[in-house]
Structures are given as structure tokens and as C-alpha cells.
Amino acid sequence: MENTLIDSIKDIDKETPCLGIFEKVEDAIESAVKAQKKLISSYKKKDREKFIEKIKSVTLANKEVLAKLVFEETKMGNYEDKILKHELLAKYTPGTEDLTTTAWEGDDGLTIVEMSPYGVIGAITPSTNPTETVICNSIGMIAAGNSVVFNAHPNAKKCVAFAVHMINKVILSCGGPENLVTMVKDPTMESLDIIMKDPNVKLLCGTGGPGLVKAILNSGKKAVCAGAGNPPVIVDDTADIENAAKNIIEGCAFDNNLPCIAEKEVFVFRNVADELIKDMIKNNAMIIGEDCVEKLINLVLEKKDTDSKIEYAINKKWVGKDARLLLSEIGIDAAKDIKCIICEVDANHPFVMTELMMPILPIVRVKNIDEAIECAKKAEQGRKHSAYMYSKDIENLNRFEKEIDTTIFVENSKSFAGVGLGGEGFTTFTIAGPTGEGITSARTFTRQRRCVVVNRDK
Ligand code: NAD
């Protein structure tokens, strides 16, 4: 075991050895198989609920520790918002109450459809919400009666190891089985390949970018895929502009724009654009001109010249960094309270078409709702992830909601309302657009099983 990993866990937990963390991925899978069998044969649903309640309360109690570990290891986002993300998942991730049984009763007898576990789930997690995804996935997967083997993002393996250890310790303290949640100490593409090919792993759940989604969809195994987003925002000329400006900047700057749901580009009606920008500046945004936009492109994007067109990829070095740091790199000394960079660009600009995951918000002026929807659809790229709109015009709202066809659509509020922060409904850190499960929860990780009892004395 790598010393730093042992140290980071021992620093916080001096008594227990690392739980659920294996040198070899094969051992992580085998232990998860044993744990799941034990869970199903020796424990009841109410025991699973007890584990989950405890996982949630320990996450809440350790939210600062978890946020600090993630921030120190990944060096992305900001500490305070990471505390809030852990609080959100601890309070609003559903457990066994999410599972329902459907029954039909009649002259011919009784038929029930139960939500049953898959068995062992292989879960792949991102660097942007590492422990949040691992704890949230674990809650839903265990609630449904599964065990889980994680292949964490290599850049976040230590904080994830702490989360895996913490979850196992909690379950053991409630008298539960060991290794319900496991991981390989050094996750790689090879360890993912072993997980994908192992016949004991019955379901894959991947949270990450397009490369990951493609890989697990090609595995030939049932997969829940939570892929990339690039959420557009439309602001029309009936909107409460003050409210729009405040919410858009807060949503875009949250955890330095790391969340896949965070506002990534704005399409605003021309006749209210100046007012929106003015109000955004009042809400800690700084506007930059064309020269600085060019400098910022050179800093945060990597240009790839192909035969037919120029393509851009993000320079990962700058993902999740503070707006003030990005500004200082292009020679601007911004005020302390600046948390978001805004700029006016055209609809095909690389800042619009690339999922930046940095507090940079491109703004495009549009003449009407037709143009706004067309541009927003192009920017979202059919990912079926998230979109937002500020308007009092029901027709415009309905039209955009239908045409963009995303998993999350929030009206007149910020992105996080879509996952239960300042909006109704439960939370998740795995939003499965490509495979259609949407806002995942315990029921996502179940198989439908029908049991039929026929009335013999008919
Ligand atoms: P990433 O795609 O680089 O990594 C995610 C995971 O996939 C990691 O464990 C990584 O090791 C693995 N991976 C990466 N490329 C792979 C490939 N070609 N084959 C197999 N495995 C691969 O993502 P990241 O930078 O950590 O996270 C950011 C991305 O994830 C963004 O695109 C964001 O929108 C997306 N995301 C989506 C959701 C959602 O719920 N839909 C949630 C969080 C993040």
C-alpha cells in the first residue's frame, strides 16, 4: 500500500486499517462478491437502511474532512462549496425508501414486481466530484442490495480511498458485512478493463466524460452512463434580469464551475443583454474584452489543427481554478471578490462549444427565441444533460424545455435547484443522460423481478 494513502487515512483514523482497498482489482471484485452474497442472505432491508442512515450521518459529520481531502488532492474547485456538496448528498440522497413493489390482485391470484439487486456493480468515478460520487453511488447501490467495486479517477484515488474506508467502517460498526464497497488501490484503464470483463460484475455505472461513456457502452454489459454536459442558459426579454444575473453567476462560479450541471454559456435577447451584463458585474463577475479573450483561449484551450477544421480541447491544468488566478495569468489583477469571468462572443466560439469546467462564462446576444433555442441546442450537442431558462413567457419556456430535451431543465433558478439545492426533489451526483436513467437513485440499481401466485381454487 502506498505510504501517502495509508498516512492520509491514518492521520484521520488512527485505529483502523484501510478497509475495502485492495492491491489487486481481482481481489476487490472477489471480496465484493462475498459481501453481496452475505448482504442478501443474512441481512434485511431494515439493516440496509440502518447502514445508509449511518453513512449519511458520518458523511455529514466529516464534510469538512472530505472537502479538504478532495481539494488538497485534486487542487480543483473550492473548499467551501465542496463542504456544501457533501452536505447536500448526506441530506438528500434517497435510501431504501426509493424502492417500491408493484402488485396486481384479482380472481387469478397475486402478481408482484419487486426491485431486486443486480449483485456486484462496477462504478467508475470522476475527478471533479470524487468522494461525492462514491458516497452517493454507494448509498443508492447498497440500498438496492448490491455491493460495489470502484475504479476511481487516478487523480482522486486517495480521497476516494478515504471515503471507501469510511463507508466500510460505518457498515462494520452497525454489524454489517465487510467489503460491501471496495476499490483497487491504483486504478488504471487496465483495472477498469478487468472490472468490465469480469462475469461477476453485473452492471457498470460510469460517471465521467465521453471517453468513459464510449468505453463502457462498448463493454457489452448493461451500463448506466452519466456523461459530459455543457448546459446552456437562455434569458429572454420577459425575465427578471436581476434574478437571472445573480443566479447565473452563482451557479457558474459554484466550485469553480466543476459540476457537470453548472451554467456553461448564456444566450440572451439583444434588448436585455446590456442590463444582464451590468447586473452580472454587480454580482462579482468581471467582463473582459476581445484581446483578453484571445489570451484566455491560448491559456485554457489546446488547438488541434485537423485537415478540415480547427478543434479545441481543454488544457486540464486550468480546470476548476479560481477566476482571479486565470485573470492574473493573462495579466489582469482582479479585485478579491471576483469569482467569474464573462465575455461577449459569437455562438460558434470555442468557449461556447467546449465544456470548460472553469469560471469562464461566454455570453451570446440573440435576436429572438428561435435563434436562442437553435444556438442552445447546438451548444448542448445532444448530450441530454441540463439546460436553464429565465423567462415569464410560458410559451417560450415550454418550447425550450421540449426542444432541448435534457434530463434537467430549471426555470428561473440556478443549476443546483435541479439536484435538490434550493429546488424540490432528491439529489444525485450521477446524471445518466446517454442511457436515459436520468437522476439516478437506489431504484436505478435494481432489476425488475416478477413473482406470480396463481389462485388454485378458481
Ligand atoms: P474523465 O472522463 O476524465 O474521468 C472519469 C472516469 O473515467 C475516471 O475514472 C477515468 O479514469 C475514466 N476514464 C477517462 N477516460 C476514459 C476512457 N477513455 N476509457 C475508460 N475510462 C476512462 O472525467 P473527469 O475529468 O474526472 O470528470 C469530468 C467529466 O465528467 C466532465 O465531462 C463532466 O461533465 C462529467 N461528469 C458527468 C457527470 C454526470 O452526472 N453526468 C457527473 C460528473 C462529471
Side-chain angles (χ1 to χ4, degrees), residues 76 124-129 133 151-154 187-189 192 196 206-216 225-230 258-261 264 314 316 319 355 357 383 385 428-434:
M76 299 191 293
I124 306 94
T125 52
S127 58
T128 48
N129 301 321
T133 310
N151 206 68
H153 194 292
T188 58
M189 291 297 178
L192 173 59
M196 288 198 297
T207 309
L212 169 67
V213 169
K214 199 167 159 208
I216 62 174
C225 295
N230 193 34
L258 280 184
C260 54
I261 57 169
K264 298 283 191 288
I314 43 170
K316 292 200 169 173
V319 168
E355 187 198 23
M357 294 182 282
R383 292 174 173 176
H385 202 293
T428 187
F429 281 83
T430 296
I431 299 152

